[in-house]
Amino acid sequence: MWEEDAKLDISELSRVTQDIPILHNKYFKIFSQERYRYRTMELEMKSLRLAKFEFYSQGPSPETPAHWKLPPIGKVLKSDVPQYIDTDEDIIKLNLKMYAQSEKVDYLEAIIKQIVNRGYQVKSIIDWEKFKVGA
C-alpha cells in the first residue's frame, strides 16, 4: 500500500497537499491496530512466562496443556528455570511473532513520520521549481 501512496505527483502538488490528512488518518488507524496487537502479544508473553515458570518449577497441573513436557530430570531448580523458559519452544515462537509485529509497528511509525513531513517535501519541490525558472 505504502509503495503506491508514497509517490508524489509533482504536477498536482495541491492534490498531494490535500491528501496528507487522509493518508495520515489511513496509516494511523493501521498503526493503532498493529500496536494494539503487539501490546496484546506482550501481555500474552507475560502470562505464558508465568505459566512456564510454574510448570518448570512446580511440575504439571491438571490444567497444563498435554504438549508441555518436563525435561528428563523432572522439575527444575528455581535458579535454572529462566534458562528453560528462554529455550522453551512456545516462548521462542511467541518471541518470533512479537519480533515480526514489532517490525511492522516500527515500519508504520516511519510511514507516519514521512506523511507528517510531506508538507515540507512539497514546499521544497515548489522552491526548487521556482529556483529553476529564476523566480
Side-chain angles (χ1 to χ4, degrees):
M1 256 188 323
W2 178 242
E3 190 173 331
E4 193 60 36
D5 290 339
K7 295 176 182 172
L8 286 174
D9 184 0
I10 61 170
S11 65
E12 294 194 35
L13 291 177
S14 63
R15 195 178 129 274
V16 170
T17 307
Q18 292 170 349
D19 287 347
I20 291 173
I22 295 165
L23 284 174
H24 188 274
N25 183 49
K26 174 183 176 180
Y27 284 96
F28 199 81
K29 281 181 181 179
I30 296 169
F31 170 74
S32 295
Q33 292 167 351
E34 297 301 329
R35 186 174 54 182
Y36 177 78
R37 284 189 187 118
Y38 181 74
R39 298 283 188 239
T40 301
M41 288 178 180
E42 283 182 323
L43 295 174
E44 185 181 340
M45 178 60 84
K46 286 181 181 183
S47 178
L48 181 60
R49 287 185 77 82
L50 176 62
K52 290 289 184 170
F53 179 84
E54 290 172 349
F55 172 71
Y56 284 118
S57 64
Q58 299 169 14
S61 69
E63 299 86 29
T64 301
H67 72 279
W68 287 14
K69 303 288 183 211
L70 281 172
I73 61 169
K75 288 191 295 185
V76 177
L77 294 173
K78 285 189 181 185
S79 61
D80 294 336
V81 170
Q83 290 172 302
Y84 283 90
I85 290 174
D86 288 342
T87 58
D88 184 88
E89 190 175 314
D90 296 324
I91 296 287
I92 291 171
K93 284 179 185 176
L94 186 53
N95 264 330
L96 289 172
K97 284 181 186 178
M98 287 178 66
Y99 176 75
Q101 190 65 27
S102 173
E103 289 296 312
K104 199 182 297 185
V105 168
D106 291 346
Y107 183 67
L108 286 163
E109 194 170 15
I111 288 172
I112 291 169
K113 287 179 183 175
Q114 283 291 317
I115 292 169
V116 168
N117 289 327
R118 196 165 258 207
Y120 297 110
Q121 293 169 342
V122 169
K123 183 183 179 329
S124 293
I125 292 168
I126 292 170
D127 290 346
W128 176 249
E129 292 300 319
K130 283 181 182 178
F131 176 76
K132 285 188 343 186
V133 295

